[in-house]
Amino acid sequence: MWLLVGLGNPGAAYQKTRHNVGFVVVDAWAARHRAESWRTRFGGLISRVTIPGTEVLVVKPQGYMNVSGRVVGPAAGFYKVPIDRILVIHDEADLPLGTLRLKAGGGHGGHNGLRSLTADLGGAGFLRVRI
């Protein structure tokens, strides 16, 4: 199983901001792969997709970004998903608009969502898509 995590902030005030790019991407990915209906669990919205041979749990934490780990940590623990099978999609202010980068591990670079994930997952060994 994989965890696909989109970082964002809940509420209409943040809906069309760059901080919600993680939500936008996982919403589109889940729709494309005909994910199950979203349900509330662990303080986030959770959906599931089965791709032949692989199950993917899609997670959108519903607390503010700086406490995202409080949702992802318990979900990863409950489903026994190792840290190297967690893919986090988040905004990256240092990249030019329209740029996408894949990164494995590393520091939080001042990103509070990544800081929270690193603390609650017990390390920074997850994969990241920086947009």
Side-chain angles (χ1 to χ4, degrees):
M1 176 178 276
W2 280 82
L3 241 58
L4 175 62
V5 179
L7 294 186
N9 284 316
Y14 299 100
Q15 193 170 10
K16 295 191 183 222
T17 67
R18 69 174 178 85
H19 281 304
N20 277 19
V21 71
F23 284 179
V24 171
V25 170
V26 298
D27 282 341
W29 189 89
R32 180 178 179 153
H33 292 284
R34 296 185 175 100
E36 295 175 357
S37 296
W38 293 99
R39 59 190 153 103
T40 303
R41 190 134 195 232
F42 308 109
L45 294 175
I46 308 275
S47 184
R48 191 183 290 238
V49 172
T50 301
I51 298 172
T54 305
E55 232 179 318
V56 179
L57 190 68
V58 186
V59 180
K60 295 192 309 182
Q62 293 300 292
Y64 288 99
M65 192 174 303
N66 62 338
V67 293
S68 298
R70 293 182 191 168
V71 174
V72 179
F78 182 83
Y79 289 101
K80 297 178 178 39
V81 178
I83 198 167
D84 63 345
R85 286 196 160 239
I86 299 173
L87 176 63
V88 178
I89 300 170
H90 65 90
D91 68 304
E92 178 62 66
D94 292 338
L95 293 177
L97 186 62
T99 303
L100 180 138
R101 297 260 168 82
L102 180 64
K103 182 178 182 180
H108 57 73
H111 192 288
N112 289 329
L114 297 179
R115 180 180 282 130
S116 175
L117 289 170
T118 299
D120 289 313
L121 290 170
F126 51 89
L127 300 169
R128 306 135 191 238
V129 174
R130 302 162 47 214
I131 301 174

